[in-house]
Every structure is written in structure tokens, then in C-alpha cells.
Amino acid sequence: MPLLVPEQSTFPLLLSWGTVRDAKAAEPPKKRQYKTPVERAIFAMAANRALDPMSKRGVEEWVKEDVVIPGVEEIPLQQLYRAMNFLLENEAELQKQVYYSVANLLNLEVDILYFDTTSTYFEIEDEDEDGGLRRRGHSKDHRPDLPQAVIGLAVTRDGIPVRCWVWPGNTADISVVEQVKKDLIGWKLGRVITVLDRGFNSEDNLRCLQRAGGHYIAGEKLRSGKENTVQALKRGGRYQTVRDNLEVKEIVVGNGEARERYILVRNPEEAARDKARREKIIKELEEQLPHIKTHAKAVCELMAHPVYGRYLKVDSRSLPKIDRAKIREEEKLDGKYLLRTSDDTLSAEDVALGYKQLLLVEDAFRTLKSRLELRPVYHRLEDRIRAHVLLCWLTVELRSDRNNKGSKGCNHISVGNRWVYCRQRELWGHFNPL
């Protein structure tokens, strides 16, 4: 029996489908006239991505044979592609209206915004030419041999996606912060603290985030060699225990306009793991080094090794030996990470706990890649790829855990059905199971 996909309940972004219709109606006469049921086609592709992810050709068959979607009996593949074109043409406005709809439904106040990027690869041999999307770069999927695209995602403290971005695969994290800030201007987010990982940290980016009264919490690279970072790590003082396995120490470096506020965070359990890992590496080195005599290639490979090389130096005979001073320096960093913030109103505990919530973005990326099967991407054209990512982003809204005031009373229901329950209760006044 075909599965009924209810218009009122299955998809949380129904409140935004009016935006799709309004945008379609507001198009200037010069633009193409759509005879395709654009909103129904977008709804069908998003619902499919949430329930049974497949290619767009598969969606055509899915709509015709497997489900009942009110308003349509079938949607030919070409109409799905036209709907994707429309989706991309209205990308910025649609994402904004989706955010407004969800924020209004859940009574959200966005005071902290988490941003991070990931990559998704394409199983092809050749990358696109200059200016193309599918390019080789730093792969977060550990596939540097394949072309990829970079995907950015901003989420709230409740794990609710706000906006997504797609960049060429050779885009560096540090280069995208200004665009993210610019694209969110006018979104009525209020006074926002943006939380960033170490890869986005540059002085220009941090200044950008402070425009219009904004603030930041940013990770600092412990081994960057920056003067202020070195001073912060050397500064004495006691740690304050704020949670199990979480200790913090506040450090201020400089005075006046040059003043910088740092929070040094230590996890005792992670410190023990760091020590155990290092001792294992040193033991392996002690077993290997006696067998290396004069073989230049073996020496070069060992010194350049990303794990072993950190603890080695060359002796007077140009042979590697264990650097005991380096080991002592590394011991001082066990279980620690350094944060920097521009907001003096946040306590050291709030800064540390706020940064730890960057895991929310990682959860959203895991949803994109696993449950919603972002990959494999069956499209070749750049616009199709961008529209595919946007569809996946829309569907992440369905799977997001609304564990807050807006979803009170829904916590006993699985994430996949929570919005079904909440929307049914809102529209019909009682729970009517599917």
C-alpha cells in the first residue's frame, strides 16, 4: 500500500512553502513562467530525502509508485530538475524565510551561532577546471585523491540549522568567515556570539565578527608560536573545576586596546590519554632507532613522519634521536585547549561549555552524510550540486532535535517523528498518529 505523505505534518518547513509560492508569484514577467508544480516537486524531493534517500530519477518513480503526495500523482524527472533550478535561484531568500518560520514556531532567540565546514567528495578522476566546484583540497573525509566540494553550516545552540553554503573544494576555511558574516546581515539575529574552530582563526576574521556589536569564541592553535598564545600558556594560576573532567583558567594578556582574553581548558581524562599515546609512540621509537644506521631515506621518512617526527631531532652524525626536551614541552599541553573570546560578560565556564557545543555542527554534518545520504552525488553540473546540498539542508530541519520550549511535550517521540507530532498537535489540537 502506498505511503501517505501528509501535507500538514510530515515536513516541518511547511510554514515556508508559502515563501516558495510567493517567490514564484513575485517573479518579473521577463523570467521563465513555471507550469511545473514547483512547490510540490521541492516538497517531494525533501520528503524523499528524509524517508528514503535516492537519486532524482528514483524520486520520480517513488512519487508515482510508492507514496501519495496530496496535489500530485506523478512528477516527471524534468520537472524535478526545473524545481531545483527555481530553488537555487531563490536560495538566499528561501533560507532566510525557513529560518524565520522555524524561529517563530519555536520562539527561538539566537544568541550563539556555531559555524563549521565539512567536505564531500565525488568519485571522479578529474577535477573541474579553474572556477569549477569539484576541486581537490583539504579533505575532511580523508580522501585527498578525489575532487570535492566544501559545505558550510551555521546552527543555533539548540542544534537547529540556520543557513548553509557551498564552496569549491579547494576553499580554505580561513577565507570564508567574511562571506558568512555578510550573508547573515539583515537576518534579525540580534547580538550574536559566533563560535569557530581553530581553522577559521585569523585576526581579520575575528575583527569581522566584531562588527555591528558581534562577538566571538574561537579556538587557538596551541603550537602556533604566536606571542600572545605563548604568554597565555606560560601564565600561572589555578584551574577552576566547572564540570566533571573540565577545568578552566582565565588569562588576560596585554592592556588597553591590545588586551586579549583567553580561557585555558583542561580535561584530566584526555590528559591521561594524551600521555598514554605519547608513551606508546616513544616506546616504538626506542625500538626502531637502534636499527637505523646510515640509511638516508629511512632517516628522512622518520623525521618527516607526522607522528614520530614530532619527538625526534638529528644528532651530530645526522641520525635521528629522541628529543627529550620536546617531550617535556608536549607534556605541558596534555588534555588542554586554548580559547579566545571578545565577550567579557561571559564567564570562563560559559566560554568553555559554549565551545564544546561545536559538536552540534558535527552532528548536523553526520546527519547530512549518513541518514540523508548526501553522497553519492549523482549530479555533474554545479547548479545541480548546489541545489542538491540545499535540499539536504532543508531536510536536516526535519531531523533536528527540537528539545526546547517549542517541542515541549514531544520528547517521548523519536526525532524522525517529532515534527509530525508537534505540527499535528498545533493544527488539529490533538495527537493523531500516522
Side-chain angles (χ1 to χ4, degrees):
M1 182 176 180
L3 171 69
L4 174 64
V5 182
E7 180 174 8
Q8 287 88 354
S9 60
T10 300
F11 200 62
L13 300 175
L14 259 185
L15 294 175
S16 72
W17 291 137
T19 303
V20 177
R21 298 188 182 100
D22 293 344
K24 180 173 180 288
E27 284 185 323
K30 292 182 180 179
K31 288 196 174 182
R32 110 171 43 86
Q33 296 297 315
Y34 287 91
K35 296 181 181 179
T36 302
V38 175
E39 179 268 335
R40 293 286 80 190
I42 295 173
F43 178 86
M45 289 185 285
N48 171 265
R49 188 59 45 182
L51 299 172
D52 187 17
M54 57 184 66
S55 69
K56 304 307 179 290
R57 188 175 296 279
V59 173
E60 178 184 17
E61 190 72 14
W62 185 74
V63 171
K64 185 178 180 179
E65 302 291 341
D66 299 334
V67 297
V68 175
I69 296 180
V72 293
E73 293 184 0
E74 62 180 32
I75 307 178
L77 178 63
Q78 199 59 32
Q79 292 186 4
L80 294 176
Y81 284 154
R82 288 172 184 163
M84 291 176 72
N85 292 341
F86 172 83
L87 187 64
L88 193 60
E89 290 167 4
N90 297 276
E91 173 186 10
E93 183 63 22
L94 184 63
Q95 291 200 70
K96 182 190 292 186
Q97 293 303 324
V98 166
Y99 163 72
Y100 287 167
S101 297
V102 175
N104 180 63
L105 180 64
L106 297 180
N107 195 26
L108 289 181
E109 259 184 53
V110 179
D111 54 350
I112 294 184
L113 198 65
Y114 297 90
F115 175 76
D116 204 351
T117 63
T118 190
S119 57
T120 186
Y121 59 81
F122 303 86
E123 296 186 12
I124 58 176
E125 293 183 2
D126 298 325
E127 60 181 353
D128 293 338
E129 297 179 357
D130 290 347
L133 189 67
R134 300 177 298 179
R135 305 294 302 277
R136 289 187 177 88
H138 174 65
S139 175
K140 298 185 179 182
D141 294 308
H142 308 291
R143 291 303 305 267
D145 57 315
L146 295 176
Q148 64 177 19
V150 173
I151 299 172
L153 192 63
V155 306
T156 69
R157 65 160 71 235
D158 301 299
I160 299 172
V162 173
R163 198 190 193 286
C164 72
W165 292 262
V166 184
W167 294 288
N170 58 353
T171 302
D173 283 351
I174 205 168
S175 67
V176 303
V177 172
E178 187 168 0
Q179 180 186 342
V180 171
K181 176 76 172 180
K182 180 180 177 182
D183 287 347
L184 292 176
I185 291 175
W187 277 49
K188 302 177 184 177
L189 297 177
R191 177 182 174 275
V192 172
I193 302 169
T194 305
V195 184
L196 302 170
D197 204 353
R198 294 167 296 181
F200 302 91
N201 192 339
S202 74
E203 295 303 318
D204 288 342
N205 285 342
L206 298 185
R207 281 194 294 270
C208 174
L209 294 174
Q210 287 185 275
R211 294 173 190 163
H215 286 286
Y216 62 81
I217 298 173
E220 286 278 356
K221 295 180 180 178
L222 292 175
R223 302 172 183 85
S224 66
K226 291 165 58 175
E227 182 179 350
N228 281 4
T229 300
V230 173
Q231 289 188 39
L233 292 174
K234 287 182 177 179
R235 192 69 57 87
R238 291 187 176 183
Y239 286 94
Q240 173 190 357
T241 301
V242 294
R243 295 287 173 90
D244 290 342
N245 298 311
L246 189 65
E247 303 170 352
V248 298
K249 178 168 63 174
E250 182 170 349
I251 303 160
V252 175
V253 176
N255 298 295
E257 293 184 359
R259 177 183 179 275
E260 299 290 352
R261 183 179 180 224
Y262 294 90
I263 308 297
L264 186 59
V265 186
R266 181 177 181 270
N267 182 327
E269 285 191 357
E270 186 63 29
R273 287 192 289 268
D274 286 345
K275 181 180 179 180
R277 283 191 290 264
R278 184 175 55 255
E279 289 177 346
K280 181 182 177 182
I281 292 169
I282 299 304
K283 183 178 180 181
E284 291 173 355
L285 282 173
E286 289 174 340
E287 293 174 353
Q288 292 183 43
L289 290 179
H291 302 290
I292 298 178
K293 302 299 181 182
T294 58
H295 200 302
K297 183 178 180 181
V299 172
C300 292
E301 288 178 351
L302 197 58
M303 294 298 296
H305 195 280
V307 176
Y308 296 134
R310 178 183 297 179
Y311 303 105
L312 294 174
K313 64 179 181 179
V314 177
D315 63 15
S316 58
R317 300 172 297 164
S318 297
L319 293 176
K321 74 174 193 176
I322 295 175
D323 189 342
R324 300 294 174 181
K326 180 64 174 177
I327 292 174
R328 289 191 292 271
E329 288 298 317
E330 289 295 315
E331 287 174 349
K332 298 176 183 178
L333 304 180
D334 284 351
K336 297 178 183 177
Y337 56 93
L338 185 65
L339 307 177
R340 177 177 168 186
T341 182
S342 61
D343 193 337
D344 288 338
T345 66
L346 294 175
S347 68
E349 177 181 0
D350 288 339
V351 173
L353 295 177
Y355 186 78
K356 282 174 69 75
Q357 284 189 286
L358 264 176
L359 294 173
L360 292 170
V361 192
E362 295 180 14
D363 287 342
F365 283 141
R366 275 193 291 273
T367 299
L368 273 176
K369 292 183 177 182
S370 58
R371 297 176 184 174
L372 305 186
E373 297 183 18
L374 170 69
R375 198 174 48 237
V377 181
Y378 295 102
H379 304 289
R380 176 180 58 85
L381 299 177
E382 178 175 330
D383 284 353
R384 294 273 191 267
I385 296 170
R386 291 181 180 275
H388 171 72
V389 174
L390 188 56
L391 281 168
C392 291
W393 170 81
L394 286 169
T395 314
V396 170
E397 292 283 356
L398 175 61
R399 307 209 54 118
S400 296
D401 187 350
R402 286 5 185 201
N403 188 19
N404 52 35
K405 180 180 178 181
S407 61
K408 186 176 180 181
C410 307
N411 295 332
H412 63 287
I413 305 174
S414 67
V415 173
N417 293 323
R418 185 161 297 167
W419 268 100
V420 177
Y421 174 76
C422 292
R423 292 290 290 128
Q424 285 172 330
R425 186 178 63 177
E426 177 187 355
L427 292 168
W428 302 333
H430 65 279
F431 177 46
N432 179 19
L434 294 177

